[in-house]
Amino acid sequence: MEQTLALIKPDAVERNLIGKILVMIENDNFIIKHMKSMQMTEPLAKTFYSVHEGKSFFNKLIKYMTSGSIVALVLEKENAVASFRKLVGTTDPSTAEDNTIRKLYALDKSYNSVHGSDSLENAVLEISIIFGD
């Protein structure tokens, strides 16, 4: 079984969408192995998003991800990374496929409600950053 990291971001938590997103995840046959509510500190957010350091949106991303609570999940199933990316939809909700999390709940490209690991290697790294070894 493959694992991936999912984050329900501050905009979705603030709009009380945790339950709706969890239902979508469970209905897609993911097993939730670990889950916690937390608030990212600035150092944690900078570590987590270090791949984007130096990009024009980096500071805005860090401010957003530290602005409120998030829900972090380790999800498991066959082809978890690709399956969750498909369930999430594209970054831009206006071009996301119907019935994806971002099509239904994202506000825009920046406030896009969820994060999903983009590769198996990044999933392993991101899970260790958020949940420890």
Side-chain angles (χ1 to χ4, degrees):
M1 284 291 173
E2 193 173 280
Q3 292 187 337
T4 192
L5 181 81
L7 300 178
I8 302 175
K9 294 180 177 182
D11 71 278
V13 172
E14 184 178 312
R15 292 179 292 133
N16 295 314
L17 297 173
I18 297 167
K20 290 178 181 180
I21 293 170
L22 290 177
V23 165
M24 291 181 73
I25 289 168
E26 289 184 322
N27 285 344
D28 203 34
N29 298 312
F30 283 95
I31 296 168
I32 298 171
K33 298 299 286 185
H34 302 283
M35 179 170 68
K36 68 178 177 179
S37 177
M38 61 183 285
Q39 182 148 0
M40 278 193 167
T41 62
E42 187 174 319
L44 178 63
K46 285 182 174 179
T47 298
F48 189 83
Y49 288 106
S50 63
V51 66
H52 299 301
E53 194 167 1
K55 295 180 181 173
S56 61
F57 61 85
F58 181 74
N59 289 333
K60 181 179 176 184
L61 176 62
I62 299 307
K63 185 175 180 182
Y64 164 53
M65 289 303 296
T66 59
S67 69
S69 295
I70 65 167
V71 175
L73 306 119
V74 176
L75 305 178
E76 186 175 274
K77 81 180 226 183
E78 291 294 326
N79 301 311
V81 172
S83 293
F84 190 64
R85 298 288 291 182
K86 184 175 181 184
L87 180 62
V88 166
T90 59
T91 304
D92 184 347
S94 68
T95 61
E97 287 189 35
D98 289 342
N99 299 313
T100 59
I101 295 171
R102 287 181 175 154
K103 183 69 165 188
L104 294 170
Y105 301 121
L107 298 173
D108 57 34
K109 285 193 277 189
S110 295
Y111 298 92
N112 58 19
S113 300
V114 290
H115 164 87
S117 302
D118 63 1
S119 69
L120 188 54
E121 296 77 24
N122 281 342
V124 170
L125 175 62
E126 291 173 353
I127 290 168
S128 73
I129 291 169
I130 299 297
F131 286 93
D133 293 329

